[in-house]
Amino acid sequence: MEQVIELLKVVFLGIVEGITEWLPISSTGHMLLVDEFIQMNVSADFKDMFFVVIQLGAILAVVLLFWNKMWPFQRRTPTQSPVRWDTIQMWLKVVVACIPGAIITILFDDYIEAHLHTPTVIAAALILYGVAFILIENWNKTRTPKIQTLSQITYRAVFLIGLFQVLSIIPGTSRSGSTIIGALIIGVSRVAAAEFTFFLAVPVMFGLSLFKLLKFGFVFTQTELITLAVGCVVAFLVSVVVIKFLMGYIKKHDFKVFGWYRIVLGAVVLGYFALK
């Protein structure tokens, strides 16, 4: 019975990851908050690694859904090159956008884990960026995006987006949220901002997962392997549904609903831990 309960916990965490990874509401923040109420019977080191590596399931959903846009090669025809140079260019831009975040993560990851993974920090980040989403979307009502498609995004623009992504190292901020906010501010359309976020997530999340696996080591018990596998599979399946929903939603709506959600959740978290 205990094993079944532990498995249900992992399934629930996988669902939370699959939903919150792609919506700009902070997957790490939600995972840490859920952990306050649903404690897995694992070591602290494994839990720290699990909360990051479970994102691999979510990223595989992106690879599946956007494979045609992400894969830079195609069948050769007499009139076509086997290499899709526009896709190569996009991946080069992704590399540029990853540089600021990679440097900050390597330098400050241990400090952030030790000092900023607190309910107060998470709640404050949820509220702050919730307000930011609402203000930016109100501001955008009077603006026409300068960049409508992925191919129009410049190297200068992706570097600026990469700087905004650095903010996501703070729990509760949201990797997708910070990159989307940055993209909207510099004049990228909602759809292009979301699609670039998906591209950017691939190396970022693979890199973070490898980083955490190296810190943890590659020695797992059978239970740990099952836990990690189940979490990734559930996150993958849920992510497929959520990504399709998000891309359909933002074609007709703005991001303000996510801003209000963040504010309400942040207030609930502050209230809960103040009374605890």
Side-chain angles (χ1 to χ4, degrees):
M1 186 62 183
E2 183 178 345
Q3 291 179 332
V4 173
I5 292 174
E6 288 300 311
L7 186 61
L8 289 175
K9 291 178 183 178
V10 176
V11 170
F12 183 75
L13 288 169
I15 293 172
V16 172
E17 166 61 27
I19 294 173
T20 60
E21 184 60 50
W22 305 114
L23 303 182
I25 54 178
S26 177
S27 63
T28 302
H30 278 75
M31 296 287 278
L32 291 172
L33 292 172
V34 169
D35 186 54
E36 287 287 326
F37 306 98
I38 301 177
Q39 294 280 339
M40 292 194 301
N41 187 22
V42 295
S43 68
D45 288 340
F46 177 82
K47 184 190 297 183
D48 174 59
M49 180 274 297
F50 173 83
F51 280 179
V52 174
V53 178
I54 192 177
Q55 296 174 347
L56 284 178
I59 200 60
L60 288 176
V62 167
V63 173
L64 172 69
L65 294 174
F66 289 86
W67 178 256
N68 289 335
K69 288 188 175 184
M70 292 183 170
W71 184 244
F73 304 105
Q74 61 187 349
R75 288 185 178 181
R76 186 173 184 175
T77 67
T79 59
Q80 287 183 317
S81 166
V83 179
R84 297 163 61 186
W85 293 108
D86 58 335
T87 305
I88 296 289
Q89 282 277 346
M90 182 53 60
W91 282 118
L92 291 174
K93 293 174 183 177
V94 167
V95 171
V96 171
C98 286
I99 292 173
I103 293 172
I104 296 300
T105 298
I106 291 171
L107 292 177
F108 298 106
D109 182 67
D110 288 338
Y111 175 85
I112 296 233
E113 282 187 10
H115 298 281
L116 297 184
H117 280 224
T118 67
T120 302
V121 170
I122 292 170
L126 285 167
I127 294 171
L128 176 64
Y129 289 97
V131 171
F133 264 116
I134 294 170
L135 293 177
I136 290 167
E137 286 290 19
N138 285 337
W139 179 44
N140 276 342
K141 286 182 179 180
T142 60
R143 302 168 69 216
T144 299
K146 296 179 292 184
I147 299 172
Q148 296 284 351
T149 65
L150 276 179
S151 60
Q152 294 175 341
I153 297 180
T154 64
Y155 281 97
R156 176 181 177 276
V158 298
F159 183 74
L160 291 174
I161 293 171
L163 291 177
F164 276 95
Q165 184 182 233
V166 170
L167 299 172
S168 66
I169 196 171
I170 299 174
T173 298
S174 170
R175 184 198 54 77
S176 63
S178 60
T179 53
I180 288 172
I181 282 176
L184 293 177
I185 287 175
I186 65 175
V188 181
S189 70
R190 294 187 192 96
V191 172
E195 288 186 345
F196 187 73
T197 296
F198 296 149
F199 267 83
L200 191 55
V202 175
V204 169
M205 291 164 67
F206 272 119
L208 283 174
S209 295
L210 179 60
F211 183 64
K212 290 294 185 180
L213 284 169
L214 288 173
K215 286 179 68 175
F216 179 76
F218 289 89
V219 180
F220 298 92
T221 66
Q222 183 180 24
T223 300
E224 288 174 339
L225 277 175
I226 293 173
T227 298
L228 195 57
V230 170
C232 286
V233 169
V234 174
F236 166 79
L237 295 174
V238 175
S239 290
V240 170
V241 176
V242 171
I243 291 169
K244 289 182 177 180
F245 160 77
L246 179 63
M247 295 310 297
Y249 180 86
I250 61 176
K251 289 177 181 177
K252 300 179 181 179
H253 306 86
D254 58 29
F255 286 103
K256 283 197 289 187
V257 65
F258 302 114
W260 286 113
Y261 171 83
R262 293 176 65 105
I263 292 170
V264 172
L265 180 62
V268 170
V269 171
L270 282 177
Y272 171 80
F273 284 99
L275 296 173
K276 184 177 177 181

